[in-house]
Amino acid sequence: MKDGSRRNVWLRHGAIALAYALGYVLLRQVSWSHWVLFSGYRLAVLLLVPYRYWPALVVGELGPVAYVSFSCIETFGWVWSSLMLVPPIALAMPVVRACRDRLNMIPARGPVRMGAVLICTLAVSALWTFMNMAALSVAKAPSGFPPINYSVEAARWFIGNYLGILTLVPLVLMVWEGRAKRAASWRMGLERALRGRLAIEVAAFVVPALALLVWIGLEASGEGSRQVARMLMFLPVVWLALRHGWHGAAIGGTVASVAVVLTMPELYDTSTLQAEVFVAFAATSMLLFGSRIAVLHQQKGQGSELAGRSLDLARRIQAQCEAQLRQTSVGIELISETIHATEELMFERLRQTRVTVDPREFRRRTTVTREQLFQLADGLNPVTLREHGLVAALRRGGIARALNTQRIGYWCAARGGIDQLSSPVQLALHRLVSEAITYLCSIHSVGDLTVRLRSGRHAGRRWAVVRIDALFSADPGLRVRGGPLLHRLAATGLGIDAIRDRAALYEGTVKVHASAHGECISAMVYDDEARSKEWAVPVDSTTPELFSFR
């Protein structure tokens, strides 16, 4: 009986070692220094496999690394071969165990602690990069081999390990966390997940958008256009994180990292490495932002001091996200100016070579293209708001243009020193108005809209009230149904609950009530000017830089 039980234990360990080695070998075939996908597989296994099976994982990885070590011993020398015999998974085990035990990274009950996961990710990425650099420093270089730039190689390995982990680990943890919420059968749970809003949005919007950006990156003639297409790939990560928390950021980060890798023109491409740094930074920020929002919901009702600190952190993270959107908006404006200059040069050459050609149709099409680029930039971060303030942005910005194209009457009235509000609060009010208008126009046929703003000061704090009055119409042609306004106003379209959540970041409340001939949404927020300056993030500070190692 004991022999049979012992035999079953050895069989389980052997099966785990064999399965891990097989997955390691398969993922190694699609990994390189820019994108070390098997690093994510290695860490995901360490996070979820019980400690008693860890020796089997070491044995499973020892086989592939020993094969590489002995097959290249004559090329790189016995010192390099000796270092390569050390399984990297064994070096990461103390770090992962410390994070699992001391930081309670993956609790048995409750949500995954994404902050601890990212700390563990940074630690093991640095550890594995150091190990690779140590082996590279003692490798015997072949004759005629060019000098090695260790800073560049270290940056490649670190970003490759980090992005490879971000590609797999959050996705695996999302599936693991949702196992208790699903039905008894995995088949029913999978069907429910595929029918959920997150899966539908990824399939209907995110994947096509990234496929278009990949096509632009592959077909672009200039490196600048290709780099812009790669930088724009982080936008789906932001959009999914704002709609679905860190679960959306996990899926968006995975798809965006795959899309960036698909645009690599060659194995060691510096521009691709820069885009990967940007995507990794965006994915990290969105994972933190999404997990923090979930923590805020759980900690609601606890001590006011703890809630206040958490709220400040959420505001700072939101300010970082808005700064990223602003940076992208400015980049799109610069691209629009470049396109306009190119068009003028093209028309001038066309007039010189073909005098009889009528350029009016070309100008109409190029004007439409520039208008679409402006709408995209204005939706991400309103241009008029940056230059002239909230009142001017609401009166003649993107909201007014969008409603005018839908034949909806619109007016904005303000009093009480709205321009004295801090920039983050003005931007938050603009987002609230965009969400409220999108919500009202998607559920009713709206004929006229009026936005009223009022601000004042009480007990040393400035407050602001915004009220959106919708006058319903009997004309069914005015029913927008949300789609066009969602794209033009960069609204999430999540309804009144999303409006309340956004107002709650500034200790605000939202009320919805029926009026004589329509519906009214009012929101009140508070502005702490001292803290608002701390939340603001300069655009330059959000620009990622390559890691340098000395």
Side-chain angles (χ1 to χ4, degrees):
M1 195 69 178
K2 291 183 178 180
D3 293 340
S5 187
R6 186 176 301 173
R7 189 181 303 111
N8 291 334
V9 171
W10 283 107
L11 285 175
R12 284 197 299 270
H13 280 77
I16 290 174
L18 183 61
Y20 174 74
L22 181 61
Y24 181 90
V25 172
L26 291 177
L27 287 177
R28 194 176 181 87
Q29 306 306 314
V30 293
S31 301
W32 53 90
S33 61
H34 276 55
W35 198 45
V36 189
L37 203 57
F38 60 83
S39 293
Y41 170 71
R42 182 188 292 149
L43 182 59
V45 171
L46 283 177
L47 291 178
L48 300 181
V49 170
Y51 295 144
R52 63 181 180 274
Y53 295 119
W54 278 15
L57 299 178
V58 175
V59 174
E61 189 167 278
L62 186 60
V65 299
Y67 173 78
V68 174
S69 173
F70 291 128
S71 61
C72 301
I73 188 172
E74 296 182 358
T75 306
F76 300 110
W78 66 270
V79 180
W80 176 88
S81 181
S82 301
L83 289 178
M84 291 300 295
L85 279 175
V86 180
I89 195 171
L91 297 177
M93 284 179 177
V95 177
V96 176
R97 179 150 191 171
C99 292
R100 286 178 62 172
D101 294 345
R102 296 182 178 275
L103 300 181
N104 196 19
M105 184 166 49
I106 307 178
R109 295 181 180 179
V112 173
R113 300 181 183 273
M114 189 52 60
V117 173
L118 292 175
I119 291 174
C120 182
T121 299
L122 286 170
V124 298
S125 298
L127 181 63
W128 290 334
T129 301
F130 177 78
M131 177 182 176
N132 290 327
M133 297 306 299
L136 183 63
S137 64
V138 299
K140 182 178 66 175
S143 58
F145 194 80
I148 300 174
N149 190 332
Y150 289 98
S151 298
V152 174
E153 295 299 327
R156 286 173 179 165
W157 278 109
F158 182 83
I159 294 301
N161 285 321
Y162 189 73
L163 193 60
I165 293 174
L166 289 184
T167 302
L168 285 183
V169 170
L171 201 60
V172 172
L173 292 180
M174 182 188 73
V175 176
W176 182 88
E177 187 181 78
R179 76 196 189 285
K181 301 178 183 178
R182 295 196 178 96
S185 127
W186 274 96
R187 181 178 178 181
M188 294 178 60
L190 182 60
E191 291 179 356
R192 183 179 300 176
L194 293 177
R195 293 175 182 175
R197 176 179 291 182
L198 177 57
I200 294 174
E201 291 177 355
V202 170
F205 300 106
V206 176
V207 173
L210 287 177
L212 177 61
L213 290 174
V214 169
W215 178 77
I216 294 174
L218 293 175
E219 298 295 329
S221 57
E223 183 60 34
S225 301
R226 184 181 297 114
Q227 190 71 349
V228 169
R230 290 171 182 158
M231 294 299 182
L232 290 177
M233 289 177 182
F234 87 97
L235 290 178
V237 184
V238 178
W239 185 65
L240 286 176
L242 292 176
R243 290 178 63 86
H244 303 283
W246 76 265
H247 288 181
I251 296 178
T254 299
V255 181
S257 62
V258 173
V260 170
V261 171
L262 290 177
T263 61
M264 282 185 63
E266 56 187 12
L267 189 59
Y268 300 104
D269 180 49
T270 305
S271 61
T272 304
L273 182 63
Q274 296 173 355
E276 288 180 340
V277 172
F278 202 69
V279 171
F281 177 79
T284 303
S285 302
M286 292 301 101
L287 287 170
L288 284 173
F289 178 73
S291 70
R292 179 51 56 185
I293 292 298
V295 170
L296 287 177
H297 283 298
Q298 289 187 353
Q299 292 180 346
K300 187 177 181 180
Q302 294 184 1
S304 58
E305 182 179 356
L306 180 61
R309 289 200 302 264
S310 301
L311 195 59
D312 287 344
L313 179 59
R315 289 165 177 167
R316 289 195 296 270
I317 295 174
Q318 186 196 33
Q320 294 174 7
C321 299
E322 292 289 354
Q324 291 176 338
L325 294 178
R326 178 179 177 181
Q327 185 181 25
T328 304
S329 176
V330 173
I332 294 175
E333 293 174 17
L334 295 176
I335 294 172
S336 179
E337 295 175 2
T338 304
I339 292 175
H340 178 64
T342 305
E343 291 166 358
E344 293 298 324
L345 179 61
M346 181 186 68
F347 290 139
E348 181 64 25
R349 297 291 178 85
L350 188 62
R351 283 194 298 266
Q352 295 176 1
T353 57
R354 295 176 178 260
V355 183
T356 60
V357 175
D358 187 4
R360 284 179 295 180
E361 179 62 19
F362 295 100
R363 285 194 177 276
R364 187 186 68 82
R365 291 179 178 271
T366 55
T367 302
V368 171
T369 301
R370 291 200 304 271
E371 179 63 19
Q372 290 175 348
L373 286 174
F374 175 79
Q375 291 173 7
L376 176 60
D378 191 76
L380 292 175
N381 193 270
V383 179
T384 312
L385 177 63
R386 296 201 306 262
E387 297 176 355
H388 304 289
L390 177 61
V391 177
L394 291 177
R395 286 179 175 172
R396 58 178 185 268
I399 295 177
R401 292 189 186 91
L403 294 176
N404 182 57
T405 58
Q406 301 295 329
R407 299 183 296 113
I408 298 176
Y410 173 73
W411 177 250
C412 175
R415 62 187 179 91
I418 299 298
D419 291 334
Q420 296 179 13
L421 295 169
S422 63
S423 297
V425 175
Q426 289 191 37
L427 183 56
L429 288 172
H430 191 279
R431 300 287 191 205
L432 283 172
V433 173
S434 300
E435 293 283 355
I437 290 177
T438 304
Y439 169 75
L440 291 171
C441 293
S442 62
I443 62 176
H444 301 290
S445 296
V446 178
D448 292 278
L449 276 166
T450 302
V451 176
R452 293 181 175 87
L453 290 168
R454 190 159 58 96
S455 178
R457 183 182 292 274
H458 176 71
R461 302 180 68 191
R462 181 164 287 278
W463 53 266
V465 175
V466 58
R467 173 173 172 152
I468 303 97
D469 288 298
L471 181 64
F472 296 161
S473 172
D475 183 6
L478 295 177
R479 184 77 176 271
V480 181
R481 299 191 182 275
L485 290 181
L486 280 176
H487 299 296
R488 297 196 61 172
L489 303 183
T492 61
L494 292 179
I496 198 66
D497 290 333
I499 298 174
R500 289 194 172 98
D501 292 341
R502 189 178 291 274
L505 283 176
Y506 298 92
E507 304 174 56
T509 56
V510 176
K511 295 182 180 180
V512 182
H513 55 87
S515 59
H517 302 284
E519 192 169 354
C520 172
I521 297 178
S522 60
M524 182 174 186
V525 297
Y526 292 91
D527 182 15
D528 191 334
E529 297 175 357
R531 292 185 179 183
S532 297
K533 294 180 180 179
E534 298 176 358
W535 303 332
V537 179
V539 174
D540 295 338
S541 65
T542 64
T543 304
E545 298 180 356
L546 286 176
F547 293 94
S548 59
F549 295 85
R550 299 183 182 274

